[in-house]
Amino acid sequence: ETGVTQSPTHLIKTRGQQVTLRCSSQSGHNTVSWYQQALGQGPQFIFQYYREEENGRGNFPPRFSGLQFPNYSSELNVNALELDDSALYLCASSSATARNTIYFGEGSWLTVV
Amino acid sequence: AQRVTQPEKLLSVFKGAPVELKCNYSYSGSPELFWYVQYSRQRLQLLLRHISRESIKGFTADLNKGETSFHLKKPFAQEEDSAMYYCALRSNFGNEKLTFGTGTRLTIIP
């Protein structure tokens, strides 16, 4: 069992609202990535944080933003929610210096109505 | 641009029969290739990576750079192999971004 934990596990939001998803990385991992997994699709890379700075971004608009804290925990914020934002959001942690295994959390299911 | 293709969305195989899950990739450099598995109601977890050249749960995968493929194979399927399988690619430098395929749902028929 990995040490990556995410909260909340499920939530429902209304179109136009804002949401914050949280992730606690595995101990010793200084890199966190966020992925969006729509139904029937593979995970899509949103962005990555290393030492509290964004270090790579996928094809997602600026209303998707993030933070990484000194303890390596992380948040994903999505503003002006759209129906298509409904998906499973996965957090993954790794050690950039070691480039070892990337561990995933169980995800947060977001439904936008 | 990086791209991973898994041509089969669904694959059903009888118990004891060989399994092959196909994965092709597109990348200009030398990538790292992975297979991730997601069992029912569990998180995504690493099954194997090409640089390790290991066999996990009887599965193996060989990177074929000429065919840009990384197919996952197992000689004798077991019921517990039923799961969602994702092939993923990571560039050999820079950040930790993984590019995933759309996945193949493997069902083992008893």
Side-chain angles (χ1 to χ4, degrees):
Chain A
E1 190 72 13
T2 75
V4 182
T5 56
Q6 293 186 242
S7 63
T9 53
H10 296 81
L11 71 166
I12 300 173
K13 290 284 188 177
T14 304
R15 190 171 47 182
Q17 284 188 312
Q18 179 266 344
V19 68
T20 297
L21 307 178
R22 295 179 174 83
C23 173
S24 176
S25 301
Q26 178 144 324
S27 177
H29 283 183
N30 54 14
T31 300
V32 66
S33 302
W34 285 90
Y35 291 80
Q36 181 196 65
Q37 187 174 16
L39 213 56
Q41 300 295 318
Q44 299 286 316
F45 178 76
I46 303 175
F47 44 55
Q48 177 181 283
Y49 279 80
Y50 172 64
R51 291 185 176 178
E52 303 173 53
E53 290 195 6
E54 189 178 292
N55 178 33
R57 189 177 184 93
N59 189 25
F60 282 82
R63 60 189 184 84
F64 285 78
S65 63
L67 284 172
Q68 186 184 29
F69 301 100
N71 65 355
Y72 302 136
S73 65
S74 175
E75 287 182 356
L76 165 64
N77 298 288
V78 187
N79 294 321
L81 283 167
E82 300 177 0
L83 298 179
D84 285 349
D85 295 333
S86 295
L88 177 67
Y89 288 86
L90 296 170
C91 171
S93 76
S94 60
S95 172
T97 50
R99 285 185 68 81
N100 59 11
T101 302
I102 298 172
Y103 292 98
F104 284 84
E106 292 188 339
S108 294
W109 279 102
L110 171 65
T111 302
V112 182
V113 297
Chain B
Q2 304 173 185
R3 187 171 184 154
V4 176
T5 303
Q6 293 180 251
E8 304 139 328
K9 269 191 143 8
L10 303 170
L11 182 64
S12 295
V13 173
F14 284 101
K15 178 182 173 182
V19 176
E20 182 178 45
L21 301 171
K22 291 186 168 53
C23 171
N24 288 90
Y25 67 90
S26 173
Y27 182 64
S28 55
S30 293
E32 290 183 78
L33 274 296
F34 304 84
W35 276 98
Y36 277 82
V37 61
Q38 190 166 32
Y39 300 104
S40 180
R41 299 182 184 177
Q42 294 187 27
R43 69 184 68 201
L44 201 59
Q45 56 186 285
L46 178 68
L47 179 61
L48 54 80
R49 51 198 302 184
H50 89 270
I51 60 173
S52 300
R53 294 184 166 273
E54 56 195 345
S55 173
I56 303 292
K57 298 184 179 182
F59 285 98
T60 58
D62 290 320
L63 179 61
N64 185 322
K65 292 186 178 180
E67 296 183 358
T68 60
S69 68
F70 188 57
H71 303 327
L72 183 68
K73 299 178 183 179
K74 183 170 183 176
F76 308 104
Q78 298 172 289
E79 288 185 62
E80 53 266 33
D81 296 331
S82 293
M84 195 75 186
Y85 291 80
Y86 294 97
C87 182
L89 175 157
R90 180 170 71 182
S91 68
N92 61 352
F93 65 95
N95 63 37
E96 301 279 293
K97 170 187 172 183
L98 285 170
T99 299
F100 285 87
T102 51
T104 298
R105 180 167 296 283
L106 175 65
T107 302
I108 305 303
I109 304 166

